[in-house]
Amino acid sequence: MKTVVVVGSGASGVHFSLAALEKGWTVTMVDLGRRGHEPVLPDMGFEDLKTQLDDPVSYFLGRNFDSVLLPSSKGEYYGFPPNKKYVFDIPDREQIEVSGFEPLRSYAEGGLAETWTGGSYSLRDSDLTGFPISREDLAPHFAGVANEIGIAGEYDDTSRFFPSDHYLRKPVEIDAHGNYLLKRYKKARRRINKLDRAVIGRSHTAVLSSDHEDRKGCTLSGRCLWGCPVKALYTPSITLSKLKKHERFTYLDGMLANWLEIDNDGKAVALDVTNVVTGGKERIEAQRFVLAGGTLSSSRIFLDTWRLWKGESPRLGGLMDNRQIIMPFVTLAMLGKRCETRNYQYHQLMMVLEGKSEEEMIHCQVTTLKSAQYHAIIQSAPMDLLGAMKLFRLTRTSLGLVNINLHDTPRDDSYVTIKPGNSGEVSKLSVVYVPEENEAEKIRIAKRRVKSVLRRLGCIVPPGMTRLRPMGASVHYAGTLPMSADRRPLAVDKECRSYDIENLFIADGSTFCRLPAKNLTFTLMANARRIGMTAF
Amino acid sequence: MIGLGEECALFFGYLTKKEPAEYILEAYRRAHRDAGLLPAEASGPDAALLNFASHGGWRLAAADAYARIFFPASLLRKKLILALALAENTPQGSDRFNLETDKGFFRSIVELSFLSFRFLTFLTIGVLFLYPRLNFRTRL
């Protein structure tokens, strides 16, 4: 019997496991596995919940009012709602110290992607510069994952940046504001293409517009951020539910992975875990081990393994994340329009701005405002609250956000390492991120270029409201145990097998050699599937 | 100073022109007492601003405008935002955030101009009445 232990149930873990099962392996998944509640009143829309729930205040603002965004709090326009807080509930022992980085971590079933916005963007060969693999290696796995989870989009001007080999499904109905922006783009296309070197098209998102297996097509309930009540928006827990039904799959929840035990031949023999219910430690033996809990978690487990094996704690350099800029805008022609209460909440449009080099490419997701916690937006208007509330009512259908993504490259001064932890068990993770020297200039140029496109679409950008998200906010962490064609320590081969521990594989973003300005999650899934299909 | 229930009714009414249901009053009290989101008692300039606003009417509008510019993290503004969040998420207030019919571009521009004028007027009143009081108290 071929046995493999997988750590983590996120985007990478579940798609690796699906592939490994297909190849005949017996899979044991180790996870803490925090769970949320089932969606309330699944047939109701976002606005209906406010009138139909017995206690809407607790549902929307939290029992302790955690989701009320006050002027002194450090929230965002789209803060996580109370029913998604479990995704970020971190066990006390998982200590971390950070510098220049504000990471989000998860120990939930499905991991951080339980809160993703579904952006599913494939990579081109030019995005894979520095990787020992090519687009050809990944292409069948992009298609395989797309068939599994369902990716909606259209073949349009953006397609040359996101090759999709005909796997795109019909997208969800676009809202009136998005439709207006697309029409404006079509009119101003020549100028936008030529002068701004930009293209606009429909987003590629992991959301179904029609039923697929046991998931329903989007009902436009506007509840994406609160958890899609019909599972039209894909999250990894959907695949985990499927895995749990497989006879060769075992899901061990309530377990925190500590480190791997390494024998004298340099092979991993068991995963050491702590059972959070009993507090006791257990060993899980297998022929192969896969770390898929995300870059920070996998780095910590790898570093603790190394510490116990070699007696030293090296630095894992090359930590990356996409810098993101949030730029609100107002589309003048949409002022004073009636609100549609039926909507798909997340982004339906994307914008790509070409650069002189791949590293200068900018990818933006354009979200027109639909359901949200409005008080977070209203208070940012430069007038009294009553006036701001009336202003919001008039402008609501004209508001939108551009989420600007910039690329990142590995540098030695951005790294993770470990320090002795307080628990006496696992170590404390230390994360240091230092931006590129020219980052400020890149941000300035990106903002100027996106504003220029928005102007041609008839939108204005309110002064002083564009926000730079902190590093770590995009949750596209990568690069600490990179793929390398040359055998070297603290790296993996093209199949993501560790050069140091021959039966250890890393199936998450740790192995990425650079980070294009694209949402990472779809590529994580495709790469994890590739590892399962080719190395197992 | 007024009690939390009265305060909630004042702020909720100011924002929505409606009386809050008992459920909203209870949530407002809970946010102060049990959840500790905001202190139940105010002191210093916060107390002076709240006291001025608690008279309602033009004084509340002036305090609201003044706080937005000169005291954005004030307790008054936080309490108003709490009332706004409660209005947004309850049946009594949620309809105040939607336009049910098209207003049209030009009518919207006229209304936006009026809102700006109204804000500047109340800001001026706020500066005239509140700046000396709060500045004096802060110096003390």
Side-chain angles (χ1 to χ4, degrees):
Chain A
M1 189 169 68
K2 301 182 287 184
T3 56
V4 57
V5 167
V6 181
V7 179
S9 64
S12 308
V14 295
H15 286 278
F16 166 79
S17 299
L18 213 53
L21 288 169
E22 204 176 316
K23 295 294 292 285
W25 285 72
T26 296
V27 179
T28 302
M29 182 176 279
V30 174
D31 196 23
L32 186 59
R34 297 206 194 281
R35 289 185 190 93
H37 297 291
E38 286 298 308
V40 296
L41 304 177
D43 299 330
M44 296 279 168
F46 181 79
E47 293 297 334
D48 301 328
L49 289 179
K50 295 175 181 176
T51 55
Q52 298 301 316
L53 282 173
D54 291 336
D55 186 5
V57 168
S58 294
Y59 181 76
F60 286 106
L61 299 176
R63 291 205 172 279
N64 292 316
F65 298 88
D66 298 330
S67 293
V68 177
L69 193 78
L70 294 174
S72 49
S73 46
K74 214 175 154 191
E76 299 202 69
Y77 294 113
Y78 284 96
F80 291 110
N83 70 338
K84 287 286 181 184
K85 299 277 184 201
Y86 76 94
V87 175
F88 308 101
D89 188 5
I90 305 298
D92 291 341
R93 73 155 215 188
E94 296 294 315
Q95 300 157 49
I96 190 166
E97 64 172 39
V98 294
S99 170
F101 206 70
E102 294 183 24
L104 288 169
R105 295 176 295 157
S106 178
Y107 288 82
E109 270 195 6
L112 284 167
E114 289 300 299
T115 58
W116 79 326
T117 57
S120 300
Y121 301 101
S122 65
L123 302 190
R124 299 173 297 172
D125 268 327
S126 52
D127 297 318
L128 291 163
T129 307
F131 284 69
I133 56 171
S134 67
R135 157 88 195 163
E136 201 180 321
D137 295 310
L138 279 172
H141 307 292
F142 279 129
V145 172
N147 287 334
E148 181 67 32
I149 71 176
I151 293 179
E154 277 183 1
Y155 298 96
D156 52 30
D157 288 359
T158 62
S159 297
R160 65 192 162 99
F161 297 97
F162 309 98
S164 48
D165 301 333
H166 309 292
Y167 57 64
L168 293 180
R169 292 162 190 253
K170 189 179 164 222
V172 169
E173 184 187 328
I174 195 164
D175 60 277
H177 188 181
N179 199 30
Y180 172 81
L181 292 174
L182 264 188
K183 280 185 181 162
R184 275 295 296 235
Y185 169 66
K186 281 172 188 160
K187 276 188 188 165
R189 179 194 252 143
R190 276 181 58 189
R191 272 179 297 150
I192 290 174
N193 292 170
K194 195 175 170 188
L195 301 176
D196 296 313
R197 301 189 68 206
V199 291
I200 294 174
R202 291 295 303 265
S203 296
H204 294 186
T205 50
V207 63
L208 301 174
S209 56
S210 56
D211 297 357
H212 172 62
E213 296 181 348
D214 57 349
R215 294 162 60 203
K216 295 222 176 298
C218 178
T219 55
L220 302 177
S221 68
R223 292 169 60 176
C224 310
L225 182 61
W226 278 260
C228 179
V230 295
K231 297 185 179 173
L233 178 66
Y234 175 80
T235 60
S237 59
I238 292 171
T239 304
L240 182 60
S241 299
K242 185 174 175 179
L243 289 169
K244 284 176 181 174
K245 292 176 190 154
H246 199 289
E247 59 182 5
R248 279 184 281 109
F249 181 82
T250 307
Y251 182 62
L252 295 178
D253 60 350
M255 299 286 184
L256 280 169
N258 297 328
W259 49 71
L260 292 157
E261 286 179 25
I262 309 296
D263 69 9
N264 293 334
D265 300 328
K267 280 182 73 171
V269 289
L271 177 72
D272 186 281
V273 298
T274 299
N275 184 322
V276 294
V277 179
T278 64
K281 287 176 74 170
E282 297 175 23
R283 292 172 79 250
I284 304 169
E285 294 184 2
Q287 290 163 350
R288 288 182 173 186
F289 298 86
V290 176
L291 299 184
T295 294
L296 298 183
S297 167
S298 294
S299 297
R300 205 276 300 146
I301 296 168
F302 185 89
L303 286 165
D304 260 332
T305 302
W306 193 277
R307 172 177 63 90
L308 292 167
W309 180 30
K310 306 255 185 184
E312 57 188 42
S313 303
R315 279 183 180 186
L316 301 179
L319 175 67
M320 295 178 280
D321 188 24
N322 292 121
R323 174 70 90 179
Q324 289 187 332
I325 306 160
I326 302 291
M327 182 178 283
F329 65 88
V330 182
T331 305
L332 292 174
M334 295 301 293
L335 277 178
K337 298 268 188 207
R338 188 178 67 84
C339 296
E340 296 172 53
T341 50
R342 287 180 71 247
N343 60 62
Y344 171 72
Q345 188 188 5
Y346 287 152
H347 54 94
Q348 292 189 297
L349 297 177
M350 66 161 138
M351 188 192 296
V352 182
L353 295 99
E354 278 188 274
K356 285 179 192 145
S357 67
E358 283 304 316
E359 295 184 351
E360 288 178 20
M361 184 185 121
I362 299 163
H363 181 216
C364 308
Q365 295 177 145
V366 183
T367 308
T368 51
L369 179 73
K370 280 136 326 185
S371 42
Q373 278 296 302
Y374 310 128
H375 72 276
I377 301 162
I378 292 170
Q379 64 182 280
S380 60
M383 62 170 61
D384 58 292
L385 211 59
L386 177 59
M389 190 176 151
K390 292 178 175 173
L391 172 80
F392 175 76
R393 218 154 77 105
L394 285 171
T395 56
R396 180 175 161 177
T397 47
S398 65
L399 299 177
L401 280 180
V402 182
N403 186 355
I404 305 168
N405 282 271
L406 305 180
H407 91 286
D408 201 5
T409 46
R411 296 176 301 284
D412 286 340
D413 54 4
S414 295
Y415 61 88
V416 297
T417 188
I418 49 170
K419 295 182 173 177
N422 297 338
S423 67
E425 255 192 14
V426 297
S427 302
K428 178 195 282 185
L429 190 67
S430 174
V431 181
V432 175
Y433 186 88
V434 180
E436 282 179 278
E437 273 181 21
N438 64 343
E439 194 199 37
E441 178 66 3
K442 272 172 56 181
I443 290 169
R444 193 186 63 75
I445 292 169
K447 289 202 289 200
R448 181 176 53 75
R449 293 188 66 195
V450 174
K451 265 187 202 174
S452 169
V453 178
L454 287 172
R455 265 198 303 274
R456 288 187 216 284
L457 294 174
C459 310
I460 53 169
V461 176
M465 291 183 74
T466 299
R467 292 183 186 174
L468 190 65
R469 298 186 84 196
M471 283 314 293
S474 83
V475 204
H476 301 160
Y477 315 147
T480 51
L481 289 159
M483 284 182 235
S484 167
D486 306 318
R487 189 177 186 89
R488 65 178 174 89
L490 309 178
V492 298
D493 68 11
K494 67 177 282 194
E495 289 177 333
C496 297
R497 180 198 297 256
S498 168
Y499 281 125
D500 304 295
I501 303 164
E502 68 174 69
N503 58 341
L504 171 66
F505 293 76
I506 317 281
D508 53 35
S510 316
T511 63
F512 282 41
C513 304
R514 64 194 290 270
L515 206 50
K518 292 180 177 179
N519 188 309
L520 183 69
T521 313
F522 183 43
T523 306
L524 289 179
M525 295 179 197
N527 190 49
R529 186 180 188 277
R530 180 183 70 87
I531 299 165
M533 286 293 186
T534 59
F536 279 71
Chain B
M1 295 295 265
I2 55 176
L4 286 175
E6 224 178 318
E7 190 178 271
C8 176
L10 177 69
F11 294 159
F12 192 89
Y14 167 66
L15 294 171
T16 64
K17 308 280 179 279
K18 288 180 185 174
E19 278 194 23
E22 182 54 38
Y23 167 73
I24 295 170
L25 294 172
E26 191 44 44
Y28 189 84
R29 289 189 199 106
R30 205 156 39 87
H32 285 78
R33 289 183 183 149
D34 305 335
L37 180 72
L38 297 171
E41 300 290 330
S43 58
D46 267 330
L49 193 59
L50 268 174
N51 198 27
F52 185 80
S54 66
H55 291 90
W58 65 268
R59 286 193 255 200
L60 175 51
D64 181 12
Y66 181 86
R68 174 65 185 95
I69 300 299
F70 298 107
F71 210 171
S74 61
L75 189 56
L76 168 69
R77 198 164 156 74
K78 287 177 182 171
K79 283 173 183 264
L80 281 168
I81 290 169
L82 172 62
L84 180 75
L86 292 174
E88 176 190 350
N89 292 299
T90 50
Q92 282 78 17
S94 60
D95 60 335
R96 308 294 295 180
F97 297 80
N98 302 325
L99 270 188
E100 283 164 8
T101 52
D102 281 358
K103 285 225 168 192
F105 180 76
F106 291 106
R107 199 171 148 200
S108 301
I109 294 292
V110 171
E111 283 194 32
L112 290 175
S113 309
F114 171 74
L115 288 175
S116 306
F117 174 75
R118 183 186 165 280
F119 168 63
L120 290 174
T121 305
F122 281 116
L123 180 64
T124 308
I125 297 170
V127 169
L128 289 172
F129 281 83
L130 284 164
Y131 188 80
R133 288 177 194 221
L134 298 182
N135 223 25
F136 178 65
R137 273 175 187 266
T138 312
R139 264 191 240 142
L140 274 182

